[in-house]
Amino acid sequence: MKKEVVAMLLAGGQGSRLYALTSQVAKPAVPFGGKYRIIDFPLSNCVNSGIDTVGVLTQYRPLELNSYIGSGQPWDLDRSDGGVHILPPYMREGDQGTWYKGTANAIYQNIGFLDLYDPEYVVILSGDHIYKMDYSDMVDFHKKTQAACTISVLEVTLEEATRFGIMNVDENDQVYEFEEKPKHPKSTLASMGIYVFSWKKLRQYLIDDEADPNSSNDFGKNIIPNMLAAGEKLMTYRFQGYWKDVGTINSLWDANMDMLAPNNGINLYDNSWPIYARTPVKPPHVTGPNAQVSHSLVTGGCRVDGVVENSVLFHSVTVEEGADIQYSILMPGAVVKKGAVVSYAIVAEGAVIEEEATVGAPPTDDPDWGIAVVAGGVTVGPKAVIKPSAMIREDVKGGEQA
Amino acid sequence: MNDLHGIVFACRSDANLGELTRPRNTCSLPFGGRYRLIDFMLSNYVNAGITDVGIIVHQSYQSLLDHVGSGKDWDLSRKHGGLRILPPFGYAERGGEYKGNMDALAGVAEYLENIRQDYVILAWGDMAVNLPVAEVFQQHLDSGADVTMVCTPTLKGAPRFSEYVEVDDTGRVTDLSVHPVAADKTLESLEVYILSKKLLLDMVDYCAAHDIYNFSRGVLQPRLKTLKLMSYVHKGYVARFQSVSGYFERSMDLLDPAVRDDLFNPDRPVRTKDRSNPSTYYGPEAKSNHSLVADGCRIEGEVENSIIFRGVTIEKGARVSNSVLMQGTVVKSGASLAYVIADKNVTVNQDRMLMGHFTYPLAIAKSSVV
């Protein structure tokens, strides 16, 4: 059935800069904000924007992501026409077929999927950003300006601009130049990795790009520059509001802490733009007689009887009496036992911090200071000490330092 | 386990629950921070592998319909079978009041005839209990009983509204008393029954022909000798709701970890309508002790010994103790609540003081502004 707009969500990246957090799952499946996974944000944005057909392109460690998305029911994307579809790379006749070589190649390999819906416009999204955005406004803008491609941009500081793809635009916001991570940025309009393409145009560029053996088959490196060079109309769409790339340990920690700020610009309690999630069946959380919880997020199934300050607790976390949690993120099922201290740390799913262990420490002048990370399922033994910036992937015995 | 069909009676609004059941059927009474009472029996059925469930509704069932929807939160939204709401069409012709559970079944006789399964479980939807229905069914099959009824040794109901049974060494029911003045036996019936579809249809037919409305009085009591009526004793936690103070006490039971572990047994989770609430946010000056707090709340004041439902706001400087605040309650700064049951969407304005007593909690009607 024909659809005017189809969204394609690039969810195949490993997210290698999240290290231990993505050793078992793809980046879009990393837990975020107490109740969510990163992919909930673009998926919910799609539904709230009226886009009911979404392809999710997976490649790296897709199993958990696949089962998380399932039928798409939590996002109301279980449709009889359209809905959410997982799109892994696949084999073709004569042992043909490859992994997704790049972002553009991932879409190229799914031209057949898009042709099923014969859309006018394709929205390209990525699975590593936290933001709320009405894509339908961006598509309207794209239609009005009759662009071939519209790129969502965010105003950043000149300093930050060196880390982004920067759009240099004329007075009508039409792009005349694109620079990837420029040393001397000419503008401060950073690409957010969100594109609207007129499908017929994009389809042709993808086919041409695939035929070029020297191409790295990437939107930022190849498709956008090729379109510019060919004189296509590329527009920028200015986004204002909260947007954060959560591709590194620090930015993931930061963005979680942002959720605690009262005016963070991304009100999760706003019913007019809900962020949906697949949530496990858990009873309400319990605070014990000794609990001291302040400036924190706490989720269903938690048992808290210790001190929790400036922290984000996902579901089914246990914080025993006398444990102290400061500026930390405890992912689903994490257990912190009596007298343990967790500070400036990320404790991943199901990890256990035994009695009187110490994980992480408050910031110091030491240039090597950073957020400590304990990977999923790891046990940190009694009285063990995990230093700041540590990346713990294996069990640490009692009393040891790591 | 697909040979069992579930029926839930959701057709009484207990007048003794006062303000709490004015806007709703007892089955949709909120309980435990995020549930409605019907969630417990529906989850018991689903956790036992039951795929087809009929809910017999009668009066003020709008809030119940809104809650169960298509049944998808219990995985009962199915192409074949699944959840069926059974409104009282049967009564329309005859008019008058609903008179008892046999009368309710007679009203849906056609539905019963079309049941795909050979066995049926009947239960009221207004109890909080985590019942191993698969085990009850297995015992029913093993014992060769005509009817198996679930009983509890911990008497919970008010005698005037409860039924009690006497059993012999084999667990066979030898006597049944209905609504006595005082509890006169050691086992209380939970009025949960398993029987074959065939026997049920015979009974419904017999009752309709003889103007009998009540299952216990009209069918079980007269046939105690001829029917093999077996008891299944459920030792776990059971909460029944027959008065406002009882509702309050049962809510406070949940602050006992042993009760929570039994009722919220992770192997048989209690499912409910998903509201996509975010996590609960505690403010810098918040205090929360010995309380059960659901998702989606903003707590900036103090909470103690309380049950806080989804989406409750407690502003800075407000104090809530020994209270039950249902979904969407707002307690403004400086207000103080003790022994209060606030129904959905109640607003308590600044600096108000509301105080009930453990034996007489103050119930505030839905959507009131204090």
Side-chain angles (χ1 to χ4, degrees):
Chain A
M1 186 92 63
K2 186 171 171 63
K3 294 276 179 190
E4 191 193 18
V5 184
V6 171
M8 298 294 266
L9 209 167
L10 300 162
Q14 176 185 357
S16 54
R17 286 171 306 151
L18 288 175
Y19 304 98
L21 296 179
T22 51
S23 60
Q24 297 302 318
V25 297
K27 178 157 68 169
V30 168
F32 181 82
K35 194 95 184 215
Y36 311 97
R37 296 189 189 235
I38 296 168
I39 197 171
D40 288 327
F41 288 81
L43 273 185
S44 301
N45 285 339
C46 281
V47 174
N48 292 333
S49 304
I51 297 173
D52 64 6
T53 308
V54 183
V56 178
L57 297 104
T58 60
Q59 175 156 285
Y60 173 82
R61 290 242 181 227
L63 301 182
E64 195 163 327
L65 191 58
N66 291 354
S67 78
Y68 184 70
I69 291 172
S71 67
Q73 185 244 308
W75 305 269
D76 280 340
L77 283 171
D78 51 338
R79 309 278 174 127
S80 49
D81 174 28
V84 64
H85 300 265
I86 303 272
L87 303 170
Y90 55 95
M91 296 305 293
R92 288 180 285 276
E93 60 280 7
D95 278 345
Q96 296 285 304
T98 60
W99 293 107
Y100 292 147
K101 291 181 280 177
T103 51
N105 174 259
I107 305 296
Y108 170 83
Q109 290 202 34
N110 288 288
I111 286 179
F113 169 78
L114 283 159
D115 284 346
L116 288 177
Y117 295 101
D118 187 24
E120 295 300 315
Y121 309 103
V122 172
V123 182
I124 307 288
L125 304 167
S126 61
D128 42 12
H129 301 138
I130 303 299
Y131 63 109
K132 283 184 171 184
M133 179 173 174
D134 191 338
Y135 303 136
S136 68
D137 286 348
M138 186 172 165
V139 172
D140 286 346
F141 176 84
H142 178 85
K143 282 191 224 172
K144 206 173 72 195
T145 58
Q146 299 184 314
C149 170
T150 300
I151 301 157
S152 180
V153 293
L154 188 77
E155 192 97 42
V156 295
T157 63
L158 210 53
E159 200 180 24
E160 289 172 319
T162 56
R163 296 191 285 115
F164 286 98
I166 296 298
M167 300 292 156
N168 298 325
V169 298
D170 67 13
E171 67 279 8
N172 299 318
D173 274 356
Q174 183 168 342
V175 183
Y176 66 86
E177 191 184 19
F178 170 72
E179 292 181 290
E180 185 71 39
K181 295 179 184 151
K183 281 211 178 76
H184 305 286
K186 291 178 207 150
S187 115
T188 52
L189 294 178
S191 166
M192 297 160 63
I194 300 166
Y195 310 99
V196 175
F197 288 98
S198 296
W199 173 233
K200 284 195 184 72
K201 291 257 187 218
L202 176 62
R203 196 176 186 283
Q204 194 53 50
Y205 278 93
L206 289 174
I207 292 168
D208 295 347
D209 178 62
E210 190 62 19
D212 174 3
N214 299 319
S215 171
S216 42
N217 308 115
D218 185 87
F219 276 103
K221 288 189 194 120
N222 308 103
I223 301 292
I224 301 295
N226 290 350
M227 288 182 104
L228 263 179
E232 298 285 0
K233 187 175 186 184
L234 272 68
M235 296 296 295
T236 55
Y237 174 80
R238 290 172 188 248
F239 173 80
Q240 280 172 333
Y242 185 91
W243 179 86
K244 199 142 204 166
D245 184 318
V246 286
T248 64
I249 294 291
N250 282 339
S251 64
L252 180 69
W253 180 86
D254 247 11
N256 272 285
M257 290 299 139
D258 285 346
M259 297 304 117
L260 297 174
N263 300 309
N264 55 20
I266 184 161
N267 184 1
L268 296 172
Y269 299 84
D270 173 14
N271 286 330
S272 68
W273 200 270
I275 302 300
Y276 301 100
R278 182 182 293 280
T279 37
V281 182
K282 295 291 167 193
H285 73 262
V286 182
T287 52
N290 309 300
Q292 290 177 41
V293 188
S294 62
H295 199 47
S296 293
L297 288 173
V298 183
T299 312
C302 288
R303 292 160 188 248
V304 180
D305 202 21
V307 177
V308 176
E309 287 175 2
N310 306 301
S311 294
V312 176
L313 272 54
F314 287 74
H315 75 81
S316 310
V317 165
T318 302
V319 179
E320 291 187 357
E321 180 188 348
D324 187 3
I325 314 294
Q326 302 283 343
Y327 294 94
S328 291
I329 299 161
L330 305 186
M331 290 185 177
V335 177
V336 182
K337 299 208 174 159
K338 282 192 181 104
V341 178
V342 176
S343 133
Y344 291 85
I346 298 177
V347 178
E349 289 182 62
V352 178
I353 312 300
E354 293 284 356
E355 291 183 17
E356 291 177 48
T358 304
V359 177
T364 57
D365 293 338
D366 185 345
D368 291 335
W369 180 89
I371 302 297
V373 177
V374 177
V378 165
T379 299
V380 174
K383 295 190 178 164
V385 177
I386 306 298
K387 290 187 210 149
S389 300
M391 179 71 55
I392 304 301
R393 297 163 190 269
E394 280 163 15
D395 290 358
V396 177
K397 287 204 187 104
E400 283 187 357
Q401 281 216 354
Chain B
M1 199 50 209
N2 280 328
D3 208 20
L4 190 57
H5 186 97
I7 297 278
V8 182
F9 296 109
C11 37
R12 56 184 173 196
S13 290
D14 202 318
N16 293 302
L17 284 163
E19 295 292 356
L20 300 178
T21 48
R22 193 158 299 162
R24 57 174 81 88
N25 187 300
T26 312
C27 290
S28 46
L29 185 62
F31 182 70
R34 66 191 300 254
Y35 306 97
R36 301 297 184 114
L37 291 183
I38 197 164
D39 294 340
F40 293 91
M41 204 47 78
L42 275 184
S43 302
N44 290 337
Y45 285 2
V46 170
N47 289 335
I50 295 177
T51 58
D52 296 5
V53 176
I55 302 181
I56 301 181
V57 295
H58 186 50
Q59 279 176 328
S60 48
Y61 54 85
Q62 194 191 345
S63 111
L64 188 68
L65 288 186
D66 177 47
H67 181 70
V68 296
S70 66
K72 73 175 177 185
D73 288 309
W74 297 265
D75 287 338
L76 287 173
S77 173
R78 300 196 176 221
K79 189 151 250 177
H80 204 49
L83 186 77
R84 279 281 297 277
I85 303 283
L86 306 168
F89 289 130
Y91 301 99
E93 307 159 13
R94 293 180 289 154
E97 282 289 293
Y98 147 84
K99 301 191 187 84
N101 44 7
M102 286 318 273
D103 195 33
L105 288 169
V108 298
E110 210 169 306
Y111 173 84
L112 299 177
E113 277 160 27
N114 289 324
I115 284 175
R116 298 188 285 165
Q117 292 80 4
D118 291 331
Y119 295 89
V120 180
I121 179 166
L122 308 170
W124 290 94
D126 55 6
M127 280 185 289
V129 57
N130 196 325
L131 190 65
V133 169
E135 210 178 291
V136 184
F137 185 44
Q138 193 57 50
Q139 189 201 295
H140 178 78
L141 296 176
D142 293 347
S143 68
D146 292 313
V147 179
T148 297
M149 61 195 291
V150 179
C151 303
T152 171
T154 49
L155 308 186
K156 277 291 162 64
R160 290 301 293 167
F161 306 106
S162 306
E163 302 180 5
Y164 300 91
V165 298
E166 198 85 71
V167 299
D168 67 14
D169 299 345
T170 63
R172 181 166 176 169
V173 176
T174 54
D175 194 16
L176 169 68
S177 40
V178 178
H179 304 175
V181 175
D184 57 354
K185 309 225 164 31
T186 51
L187 288 177
E188 180 180 321
S189 165
L190 295 183
E191 296 163 66
V192 175
Y193 310 99
I194 292 182
L195 69 173
S196 70
K197 174 190 166 187
K198 187 176 173 304
L199 181 59
L200 179 67
L201 285 175
D202 288 348
M203 287 174 172
V204 169
D205 198 33
Y206 177 85
C207 290
H210 291 79
D211 230 12
I212 295 169
Y213 307 125
N214 187 294
F215 188 58
S216 303
R217 281 205 171 111
V219 181
L220 298 181
Q221 278 179 338
R223 299 197 198 178
L224 272 181
K225 295 245 156 39
T226 52
L227 272 183
K228 187 173 179 189
L229 180 58
M230 297 295 289
S231 59
Y232 172 93
V233 179
H234 175 64
K235 296 207 173 79
Y237 180 78
V238 181
R240 311 188 80 174
F241 302 88
Q242 292 153 333
S243 66
V244 174
S245 62
Y247 173 82
F248 184 76
E249 285 169 33
R250 298 293 80 77
S251 294
M252 291 301 143
D253 284 350
L254 297 174
L255 298 178
D256 176 353
V259 169
R260 283 198 307 270
D261 288 349
D262 182 82
L263 200 55
F264 303 127
N265 179 349
D267 296 334
R268 296 194 302 268
V270 184
R271 297 151 199 258
T272 187
K273 181 173 175 175
D274 176 36
R275 293 196 172 275
S276 288
N277 293 91
S279 305
T280 280
Y281 170 73
Y282 285 100
E285 289 154 47
K287 276 192 180 151
S288 169
N289 290 109
H290 208 242
S291 294
L292 198 62
V293 184
D295 285 346
C297 297
R298 294 191 68 84
I299 297 181
E300 310 216 37
E302 297 179 17
V303 183
E304 200 182 6
N305 296 327
S306 296
I307 310 289
I308 309 296
F309 282 68
R310 292 185 274 195
V312 167
T313 303
I314 299 175
E315 291 187 357
K316 217 178 271 185
R319 297 177 67 125
V320 176
S321 68
N322 301 291
S323 294
V324 178
L325 307 187
M326 293 186 193
Q327 193 182 316
T329 301
V330 178
V331 183
K332 300 232 167 136
S333 64
S336 176
L337 275 62
Y339 298 100
V340 166
I341 301 171
D343 205 327
K344 276 178 76 178
N345 301 324
V346 162
T347 300
V348 180
N349 276 325
Q350 277 183 2
D351 302 324
R352 302 291 189 273
M353 302 244 314
L354 297 174
M355 195 167 293
H357 184 264
F358 186 75
T359 56
Y360 197 89
L362 191 60
I364 305 171
K366 187 175 168 183
S367 306
S368 307
V369 177
V370 178

